Amino acid sequence: MTAERPPGGTRPLPTADPGGVSPASGAGSGRAGARWSRRATIIAFLTPALVLYVLLALVPILQGAFYSGFDWNGLEPLEQFVGLQNYREALADPVFLAALRHVGVILVLSLVLQLPFALGLAVLLNERMRGRAVLRLFFFLPFVLSDVITAIVWRLILQPAGLVDHTLGAAGLDGFVRLWLADPGIVLYTVFFVVSWKYFGFHMILLLAGLQGIPFELEEAAALDGASRVQTFRYVTLPLLGPTIRICVFLSIIGSLQLFDLVWVMTGGGPVGASHTTVTYMLERGFERSRFGYGSAVAVIAFLISFAFALTYQRLVLRRDVAGALTAMGER
Amino acid sequence: MHRRIARTALLVGLAALVAASCGGDDDDAASSSDDGASGSDEPVTIEWWHIQNNDPGLSLWEDVAAEFEAEHPNVTIDITVYENEAFKTAIAPRLQAGDPPDLFQSWGGGELEQQVDAGLVQDISDGVAPWIDTLNQAAVTMYQVGDAQYGIPFDLGMVGFWYNKDLFAQAGIDAPPATWDELLTDVQKLKDAGITPLALGEGDKWPGMFWWAYLALRNGGPDAMREAGETGSFDSEPFVAAGEQLSELIALDPFQAGHLAAVWDGAGGQAATIATSGAAFHLMGQWAPGTQNANSPDGQGLGDKLGWFPFPAVDGGDGDPTDGFGGGNGFAVGRDAPPEAIEFLEYISSMDVARRWGETNSGILPVVIGSEDSITDPNLQGILAARADASFVQLYLDQAYDPDLGNAINDAVEQLYAGQASAEDVAQTIADAAGG
């Protein structure tokens, strides 16, 4: 064997060229040995992640699907099998349907308002200007905060006669003061605002990285050809930024579908359920009401929505971007 | 080949999974050795979970445990202390695993009933029979399911009105309201004087339920409450009337701004609003002064300005104006608890320990009959007097019934405060939840 030994290790590293066998072992068995060591390596590296994935992702999903068929308070033995009754109840509950609608509103607003805002900011901060690094850091800062801290701070800022109301008053805009968190007709938009405040910096940084990957020469060439700045942006920058934008959209949608911590701490899904998301609804009905079977059914519905979306999006939209990484696994 | 690798990896993962899941059952062997006969000298450990996570309660329970250990050298009391909400999170997996602590915090009612149904708690009726008559009867019945005793209370308080004497005086209110109509009049007087009458933390939902439940109790009396609990008849007349009376109050717009999102305990919440004189009064349990003090800038709360009065009578209601609405604290006994755990409960229920609790004036109102005079705080004495007069104390609705119905009641009543449902709708929603 030509294999080197890792310091302190005993297992031979796989060789890049399985054909380079030592004369002592026959050609056939050497090939098999190399193949085995390659396989052992894969198993060794794969196992820890796989065990965690199975234990913490796959098993709970299957358990959830199993529990969702029962009327179960978490304490008694699993005896009352109710089939699809939990699903029927969820899909007939106006509070759950409203929660789905809220997620939809946040999702659409994120795509229509938050992402374009992040893109505009990224383009601005890609220009050469004084204090650019400080500004980038400044806009990125909210993302560094944890969701819970964000929620608690904004709860304080938004409470009646809080910082927001004072600021509006000082600017002579008293008429715009609202019960930001207490008015069922407004609270969802307040939540959207805080979510955007927290996450736009993340998208801005992704888009900035994408912008910096676009060679300056291309924009220069477009300018030489007489393209206006708008045209350059529309026909050169934007298409080249496509992969990054598609990832941003993906992350934004998944983030909306799974929105939880911030809402739970800031509003608890209230008042009167006006800011429930699918996940806050699940927690409230499943845990607080000790209906683990029903909560599991809600969780399965939420999972299926996310899963169906992720698969479709990867198949249809991200296909080119991830070609070779996901679709052609192992072929070389 | 790749498929084979995947299969091998999957098998390795499953093997690890099986190994991990087999490791969970070690505790059984240890706990079965606890079941020594009473009075034997076998070493025994009592696992005790309580929620008195602040002094004076925290130290008091430590002392009580140490004293019991000194008297019983073979007993070790293993104390675990949680904050109220953290306790609820921590106890759930222990109960689901079928391994409850020997003694653990319980509020009685519907949650205890679920634990009884699941066989997680012990029938201690025989063990406590010699001394249980020394305790307040209303408190004791909260820990009964059927005719059997599953836990022991050490505290029973009542919900009532806490008010700011200065603000009442400013509005020209000489005496606390004795009837619901007087209360509505006083609310209007406070408004006319430019004072926010009431504080409410409806973001937590249960504070608003107190109003509805108390009105229902005044309208229907203990019988209506019992019947609704058994048959789900929350759409009957007393409950609809409660919703209508509460709607009259809500129509006066008596609460602080943003009360739908406010919490009970926290910045800008119900307790903080009262503690900073942002509103004149509120409906809350015996723990209110402690939370108000903690939510005031100087930690002192309203001090001597704070007064207490019971929920007023409702004209034409079937309920006795002395009936109470409230609850307290106690301990349920886990199914594998040793007999020594019941001896320890007897010590907790002794006159000596009860009087020591009373002397803390901390809002824990001991239930040992005859220990009441150990409390010196005038407001807490007022609650004790009301408790002594009460022939019936209705447990908080979100604890009296199972958690599903309890939360459904809170959610339905919240709609009343948000003006999104009528009194009939609320009663019907709750009746549906109780029936289904």
Side-chain angles (χ1 to χ4, degrees):
Chain A
M1 296 280 286
T2 55
E4 300 163 15
R5 284 175 178 275
T10 51
R11 192 187 297 133
L13 280 175
T15 52
D17 174 16
V21 288
S22 72
S25 56
S29 71
R31 188 172 291 268
R35 205 185 297 153
W36 168 242
S37 77
R38 185 176 129 88
R39 212 179 294 165
T41 310
I42 291 178
I43 292 173
F45 279 98
L46 207 56
T47 306
L50 194 74
V51 167
L52 284 180
Y53 179 71
V54 169
L55 273 181
L56 300 178
L58 278 186
V59 170
I61 289 170
L62 294 176
Q63 277 180 321
F66 175 67
Y67 294 148
S68 73
F70 291 86
D71 182 7
W72 183 47
N73 66 12
L75 296 179
E76 290 165 338
L78 277 169
E79 277 165 351
Q80 297 189 48
F81 183 74
V82 294
L84 294 176
Q85 181 53 38
N86 285 330
Y87 292 91
R88 263 184 238 122
E89 185 183 337
L91 295 174
D93 182 358
V95 183
F96 180 60
L97 297 178
L100 285 177
R101 203 161 55 238
H102 299 157
V103 167
V105 168
I106 300 260
L107 193 157
V108 169
L109 288 178
S110 294
L111 296 183
V112 175
L113 295 177
Q114 185 192 348
L115 286 188
F117 179 73
L119 178 61
L121 213 56
V123 170
L124 276 180
L125 289 177
N126 199 36
E127 303 283 314
R128 286 170 193 278
M129 64 168 101
R130 217 173 246 281
R132 187 170 68 165
V134 177
L135 281 173
R136 283 180 186 173
L137 182 71
F138 179 75
F139 287 120
F140 186 66
L141 266 183
F143 181 69
V144 180
L145 293 177
S146 84
D147 276 8
V148 173
I149 303 277
T150 308
I152 291 174
V153 168
W154 275 99
R155 226 193 120 79
L156 291 174
I157 294 176
L158 289 164
Q159 70 184 359
L163 185 62
V164 169
D165 292 359
H166 271 298
T167 311
L168 285 173
L173 298 170
D174 306 65
F176 286 96
V177 170
R178 294 283 183 278
L179 293 171
W180 304 111
L181 294 171
D183 186 336
I186 290 178
V187 65
L188 186 63
Y189 302 99
T190 310
V191 165
F192 165 71
F193 173 81
V194 177
V195 168
S196 299
W197 178 86
K198 169 99 166 65
Y199 287 100
F200 81 91
F202 171 70
H203 294 291
M204 181 198 77
I205 287 287
L206 282 186
L207 291 164
L208 255 175
L211 282 172
Q212 284 170 359
I214 300 174
F216 181 64
E217 290 81 357
L218 289 177
E219 291 173 6
E220 205 176 36
L224 283 177
D225 288 344
S228 70
R229 288 191 64 148
V230 173
Q231 284 173 321
T232 310
F233 178 76
R234 170 66 188 85
Y235 295 106
V236 178
T237 313
L238 212 51
L240 287 170
L241 207 51
T244 315
I245 292 176
R246 286 191 283 273
I247 284 289
C248 280
V249 168
F250 183 70
L251 293 176
S252 186
I253 293 178
I254 289 289
S256 302
L257 291 175
Q258 298 180 340
L259 187 58
F260 170 67
D261 322 39
L262 219 156
V263 181
W264 187 248
V265 178
M266 199 163 72
T267 71
V272 286
S275 61
H276 260 316
T277 68
T278 42
V279 191
T280 60
Y281 177 85
M282 175 196 80
L283 199 80
E284 194 193 85
R285 296 300 156 111
F287 282 78
E288 296 202 339
R289 295 198 181 192
S290 287
R291 296 190 63 196
F292 289 88
Y294 182 71
S296 298
V298 173
V300 168
I301 295 174
F303 166 75
L304 287 178
I305 293 173
S306 296
F307 188 64
F309 159 75
L311 269 191
T312 317
Y313 196 83
Q314 294 224 342
R315 277 268 156 222
L316 299 182
V317 183
L318 289 181
R319 194 165 199 181
R320 271 179 307 161
D321 301 334
V322 297
L326 292 174
T327 47
M329 192 172 83
E331 289 162 22
R332 42 184 75 184
Chain B
M1 170 174 159
H2 294 112
R3 192 171 294 169
R4 212 183 308 151
I5 292 176
R7 206 186 302 151
T8 316
L10 190 67
L11 282 174
V12 173
L14 283 176
L17 181 65
V18 170
S21 60
C22 289
D25 298 333
D26 298 342
D27 293 347
D28 288 351
S31 64
S32 62
S33 67
D34 290 347
D35 300 337
S38 178
S40 76
D41 293 334
E42 297 266 315
V44 170
T45 300
I46 300 172
E47 194 186 4
W48 184 27
W49 283 25
H50 71 73
I51 61 169
Q52 266 58 47
N53 60 325
N54 290 314
D55 271 335
L58 181 66
S59 311
L60 180 51
W61 276 150
E62 269 171 21
D63 295 346
V64 167
E67 290 154 17
F68 186 80
E69 284 173 343
E71 285 286 308
H72 302 76
N74 62 320
V75 175
T76 309
I77 298 178
D78 178 10
I79 305 181
T80 306
V81 187
Y82 283 101
E83 184 275 331
N84 187 41
E85 297 301 319
F87 165 79
K88 294 175 187 169
T89 314
I91 194 74
R94 286 290 296 268
L95 294 174
Q96 282 166 10
D99 178 31
D102 298 323
L103 295 174
F104 58 97
Q105 165 72 28
S106 172
W107 294 270
E111 213 155 321
L112 182 65
E113 200 174 327
Q114 277 194 340
Q115 292 160 6
V116 171
D117 289 346
L120 294 167
V121 285
Q122 208 176 103
D123 179 353
I124 55 170
S125 310
D126 295 339
V128 302
W131 48 270
I132 198 157
D133 290 339
T134 61
L135 306 182
N136 179 300
Q137 189 57 29
V140 166
T141 49
M142 288 173 183
Y143 294 83
Q144 289 172 353
V145 177
D147 290 329
Q149 196 76 32
Y150 291 91
I152 289 297
F154 66 92
D155 162 48
L156 175 65
M158 270 174 47
V159 171
F161 285 105
W162 298 89
Y163 72 106
N164 185 321
K165 293 175 184 167
D166 286 3
L167 294 181
F168 266 46
Q170 270 181 44
I173 303 168
D174 313 323
T179 66
W180 179 251
D181 291 336
E182 280 178 40
L183 186 138
L184 295 179
T185 313
D186 289 347
V187 163
Q188 193 56 51
K189 277 187 196 166
L190 285 159
K191 276 187 78 94
D192 294 344
I195 299 164
T196 303
L198 286 161
L200 181 67
E202 189 55 17
D204 282 341
K205 296 179 186 174
W206 53 263
M209 174 271 293
F210 283 5
W211 286 87
W212 186 81
Y214 236 132
L215 284 167
L217 180 64
R218 287 284 181 270
N219 284 309
D223 292 342
M225 303 306 280
R226 267 191 218 109
E227 201 196 321
E230 281 159 19
T231 65
S233 58
F234 287 95
D235 50 354
S236 62
E237 198 275 330
F239 295 96
V240 176
E244 284 165 352
Q245 288 150 358
L246 183 51
S247 296
E248 277 180 61
L249 174 74
I250 294 166
L252 296 175
D253 192 17
F255 304 106
Q256 88 279 16
H259 59 277
L260 287 181
V263 291
W264 153 242
D265 180 3
Q270 181 175 339
T273 304
I274 291 293
T276 55
S277 299
F281 69 125
H282 65 157
L283 183 63
M284 191 44 66
Q286 67 279 11
W287 58 86
T291 316
Q292 284 164 205
N293 296 353
N295 278 279
S296 64
D298 59 0
Q300 301 298 312
L302 291 177
D304 292 344
K305 289 194 286 179
L306 186 68
W308 187 87
F309 62 90
F311 199 91
V314 171
D315 288 341
D318 291 340
D320 191 312
T322 60
D323 287 341
F325 173 78
N329 294 285
F331 297 111
V333 183
R335 66 171 172 199
D336 298 324
E340 283 81 357
I342 294 166
E343 288 180 39
F344 182 55
L345 283 180
E346 183 179 1
Y347 183 57
I348 284 179
S349 306
S350 67
M351 180 64 82
D352 175 50
V353 173
R355 294 191 72 89
R356 277 152 70 189
W357 261 119
E359 283 156 15
T360 64
N361 286 302
S362 61
I364 294 282
L365 305 180
V367 296
V368 178
I369 296 166
S371 67
E372 290 84 355
D373 60 347
S374 58
I375 288 175
T376 50
D377 179 90
N379 290 325
L380 294 179
Q381 275 177 342
I383 299 180
L384 277 176
R387 189 181 85 181
D389 287 345
S391 51
F392 174 81
V393 178
Q394 170 64 44
L395 181 60
Y396 314 114
L397 297 192
D398 52 358
Q399 278 161 6
Y401 310 125
D402 66 70
D404 188 21
L405 177 55
N407 281 291
I409 293 175
N410 288 352
D411 281 357
V413 175
E414 186 194 13
Q415 296 206 318
L416 211 54
Y417 289 97
Q420 294 195 346
S422 69
E424 287 82 11
D425 296 341
V426 169
Q428 191 59 52
T429 306
I430 297 171
D432 290 347

